[in-house]
Amino acid sequence: MSVTQKSIKAIIFTSFSAFLTTGFSSNEPFASSQWLAIDNFEQTSLQGWTKADTQNDTKPFIKNPQVTELREEASSSNNQYMIKKPAKDGLVGNRKALTYKALPATVNVGEIYTFYTRINVEYFPNNHAFGISNQDPKSIEKLGYDAFEPTLRITDKAESSGLKNDGALMVKVDNGYSNVQNFAKHRSAKPLEVGRWYDIWYVVNNKAVAKAGQNYDVYVKGGEFDKQTLVFKNAQFRKKRELPLIYFLANSNTGSYKKPYGNGGLKYDDLYMVKGVNLTTPR
């Protein structure tokens, strides 16, 4: 657990004493709107996605080193998903492997939307982040991580301070990142299990800061959470720009050539969004 995680632990557990199990906690009503598909990856090629390796320090230099492609599950489910890796195994130095796609609807300032994503860790070590951006393509590629607003992170890398992350799902807080929590057991959530699919709902509040917005709540089903469970409330937008949210963004990073993190991939499937608070599962 990082210093940031320790510093907020007492506050989190005090604030969340009422949320020890799954439950709908917002005062906002459930939305009756239909889920909009960002992508379910059931097509012959990735459509509408842009890949950009904006800090490519690979040695020897390899142009466009990130691996972002459709794959089919080995099981008989005939399910396709998108795998994202910063580079093929054994190649290091791709520091910002960006992949982004325009949302099917704009989340205007003042609006609340629920986003749904399924993820599956290919293997550790790795370093991944995904979420929603209010920047255009040119700015996304210029800003990298700072193009994010709501952000979810998966990594087991060591930070520059020497503290090592453990592979649990993380969210953005004002002074860094925090692991999501298992409030029923009064501890951080466990590391994500390799090869297991997790369902994630993140309720994104794009109201102004002055109206208690620029934050998001996260629910998870999978692994230690056998039913949909609130795992973090009031995670913070990265920059709080108070602008319309317009892109889904994913980033991964091999680490530097001298200090690589690892090239473990993250599988994505069933990316959806819906206006309002909606904790159902898209069909």
Side-chain angles (χ1 to χ4, degrees), residues 21 104 163 279:
T21 59
L163 295 169
L279 300 180

Side-chain angles (χ1 to χ4, degrees), residues 171-224:
V171 297
K172 192 73 181 70
V173 293
D174 280 337
N175 53 347
Y177 291 93
S178 171
N179 284 2
V180 300
Q181 304 293 308
N182 185 324
F183 296 110
K185 297 188 176 179
H186 305 284
R187 57 166 173 76
S188 291
K190 294 179 180 178
L192 297 176
E193 298 175 31
V194 171
R196 177 183 290 273
W197 284 102
Y198 290 80
D199 299 71
I200 303 174
W201 295 258
Y202 36 119
V203 180
V204 172
N205 182 345
N206 201 30
K207 294 180 182 180
V209 172
K211 295 185 177 181
Q214 303 296 288
N215 52 60
Y216 57 109
D217 300 342
V218 181
Y219 298 76
V220 171
K221 180 181 177 182
E224 66 189 294

